[in-house]
Amino acid sequence: MPEMSEVLPADSEFLADCRARLAFDLLSNTWNPVVVWALRKGPLRPIDLRRQIGGIRTKVLSETLRRLQYNGLVDRCTYREAPPRVEYRLTELGESLLGPIGMLGEWGFRHGDEVMAAQEEQDRADGTCAS
């Protein structure tokens, strides 16, 4: 596996057509990594995804699933039954994101209190630097 310095652009120039920036864009949407993570154990119907995730509106879930499908991370499976049934599952490409999403989650658990403390400090600050 190549080293990070071999994969990322020189001088950290993340241009619009940079593949690393594409990955950052995929992960920067609030719901993309959440939905990918929720599908890690196998296919789920949209209603089950909503229950598992919590706090996501039906419309937002539908948009997220379409975006993930467009990017090749999720497959939509339609079953011809009465009533019709739809499930979503990760593709191989989607499964390849589980490691990075897990690492970001671990970072969040490890450093979340520090980030929230910094936010609270900024909320209290008057904008001047200490001398």
Side-chain angles (χ1 to χ4, degrees), residues 32-109:
N32 285 356
V34 173
V35 171
V36 168
W37 192 255
L39 289 169
R40 74 190 180 283
K41 293 182 181 175
L44 288 172
R45 298 174 72 177
I47 188 73
D48 297 322
L49 267 171
R50 280 195 67 215
R51 282 188 196 121
Q52 186 172 342
I53 293 169
I56 187 170
R57 295 179 189 268
T58 303
K59 179 184 177 201
V60 173
L61 177 60
S62 295
E63 291 168 351
T64 303
L65 288 165
R66 279 195 296 273
R67 185 173 44 253
L68 293 173
Q69 186 178 5
Y70 176 79
N71 285 288
L73 304 175
V74 165
D75 275 335
R76 181 181 193 267
C77 304
T78 306
Y79 298 92
R80 293 188 176 148
E81 301 173 346
R85 180 170 54 108
V86 174
E87 288 183 337
Y88 290 89
R89 65 177 46 120
L90 292 178
T91 62
E92 209 172 302
L93 186 59
E95 289 177 359
S96 72
L97 266 181
L98 292 174
I101 291 170
M103 289 177 12
L104 281 171
E106 287 175 24
W107 183 90
F109 281 113

